[in-house]
Amino acid sequence: MSPTIKRATRSDAAGGTGSAADFLPPRITLPTLRRAAAGCRGCHLWRVGTQTVFGQGARSATLMFVGEQPGDQEDLAGLPFVGPSGRLLDSAMERAGLDRGKAYVTNAVKHFKWVADPRGKRRIHKTPNSAEIRACNPWLDAELAVVKPRVIVALGATAAKALFGKTFRVTAQRGRPVRTEHAEAGFATVHPSAVLRAPSDLRAEAERLFVNDLKKVARWMETHAG
Ligand code: URA
Ligand code: SF4
């Protein structure tokens, strides 16, 4: 990109309430989406994160995981779920008998939202708000339209809200199939970072429940062979 002065966009002026819809490519495939998303300025977060972290996986994936937003390591690598949460997700999938190689992994919001740690250089994750989730939703919708997964799994409340609506409660509905227009079935479970943050005496149980939810997804897919 040329080093010219950044022009204020509508979303900048409105404090982050634009939309990724203005950046969708005319022809929608994973490569065209990825390229277009790299230049997205649909909300103010393009200035906050280092780069757009688009979803990863094959168009033929039958299972789609949706997280919240890239974390610190994802922001730097440009790939979803490559940090601590991603490692836990990998290991939980393996224990549940789900193949990450056959899954598409993405996030509800494609830029890392963070604030500086007042005591140091660390970047502290900040949960995206509903305007940011809404602004970024066209990318997720387009990924769903191209991949057409059989099953989508929301990881945590942000993803569950983006996929299943504002009133969805992960704690009440985790591990059970949910009706959704986006796939044959939806599921929700906690975010892997919630497992990582659990107090040490509850950590093992939180992890067991997380793996258990993924086992239910695996079982659903086996018993509803499509
Ligand atoms: N947390 C998320 O929700 N997504 C990532 O990609 C990494 C951490
Ligand atoms: Fe675009 Fe989403 Fe990034 Fe906002 S967070 S600039 S809508 S890709």
Side-chain angles (χ1 to χ4, degrees), residues 62-85:
T62 52
L63 177 60
M64 187 184 287
F65 281 95
V66 182
E68 181 188 83
Q69 64 168 342
D72 181 81
Q73 293 191 28
E74 289 79 13
D75 172 74
L76 298 174
L79 294 167
F81 284 105
V82 293
S85 290

